[in-house]
Amino acid sequence: MKEYRSLILVILAIFAITLAGAYYSPTFEAQKNWLELFFIFGALLFIFSALVIFATIGFGSFAIYAAIFLAAVMGLYGVKGAFLVAFLSYFTWGFVFAMELLLFYNGLRSAREWFEKRYTYKAFRYEYYVFYPMLFLSYIFLEFIPSILYRESFLKFKPSRALKAMKEILAEG
């Protein structure tokens, strides 16, 4: 809990500042804007917290909770809101999956343990194909662009090699 103390203080400070801004605003319109910002920060905190929880429990459980959440959003905000939530969920979980796969591909032991703890080969292969576009997007942003900016050599990434390595590591399930 000690390592989260500063994070909790920052979150409380953000909410306190927005509430103070709403309280000391000279006009009703300014107060309304500050309160709207307060609720947006609350919504962002909820979404971030939910994504962190779902990232720790794995995609199988995430899919169940996401379906329930998507149905609720569709009921409240319609098809556009549901599409936005689905797109952001795909992008976020796909980035987490792709980043872990890139770390695994580059030999990081904790990434291998992450996959061993959460996946069978069948489940991994399914997500591998679902998030295939995210693999290349992550590779471009995490390897290719920094290598150009810092003029360093970059590691070539072949997703098929990662799939073959996972077939050897993960038990068929």
Side-chain angles (χ1 to χ4, degrees):
M1 186 68 181
K2 187 177 180 180
E3 60 269 5
Y4 298 114
R5 189 176 302 155
S6 61
L7 178 64
I8 292 170
L9 287 174
V10 168
I11 291 169
L12 290 175
I14 288 171
F15 285 111
I17 289 170
T18 54
L19 283 177
Y23 184 75
Y24 291 109
S25 293
T27 65
F28 176 73
E29 190 67 31
Q31 286 178 339
K32 189 173 83 170
N33 289 338
W34 278 103
L35 287 174
E36 186 176 315
L37 186 63
F38 177 80
F39 287 115
I40 288 172
F41 282 144
L44 284 174
L45 179 63
F46 171 75
I47 290 169
F48 178 74
S49 301
L51 287 174
V52 167
I53 290 168
F54 295 147
T56 58
I57 62 176
F59 186 75
S61 299
F62 174 77
I64 294 168
Y65 293 120
I68 295 168
F69 186 68
L70 195 61
V73 167
M74 190 178 290
L76 291 171
Y77 301 108
V79 175
K80 287 181 184 177
F83 178 74
L84 184 63
V85 167
F87 174 75
L88 290 175
S89 297
Y90 173 83
F91 186 79
T92 304
W93 185 256
F95 187 72
V96 168
F97 180 82
M99 189 170 53
E100 286 291 335
L101 191 61
L102 281 171
L103 292 171
F104 167 77
Y105 188 81
N106 290 314
L108 196 66
R109 181 160 174 70
S110 64
R112 178 182 173 156
E113 292 169 358
W114 189 82
F115 282 110
E116 287 174 340
K117 190 179 351 175
R118 288 173 176 77
Y119 290 96
T120 62
Y121 177 70
K122 184 179 178 182
F124 172 80
R125 191 179 67 218
Y126 176 73
E127 283 191 44
Y128 170 83
Y129 290 122
V130 168
F131 296 123
Y132 198 76
M134 292 299 297
L135 294 173
F136 289 105
L137 187 64
S138 297
Y139 174 70
I140 288 170
F141 283 117
L142 295 175
E143 284 285 334
F144 190 71
I145 292 175
S147 70
I148 291 172
L149 292 176
Y150 296 113
R151 299 175 192 238
E152 296 176 351
S153 62
F154 60 92
L155 299 172
K156 293 188 178 185
F157 176 61
K158 295 190 179 184
S160 59
R161 286 187 187 168
L163 184 63
K164 288 178 187 174
M166 282 295 176
K167 188 174 187 174
E168 295 173 7
I169 291 171
L170 299 174
E172 188 70 41

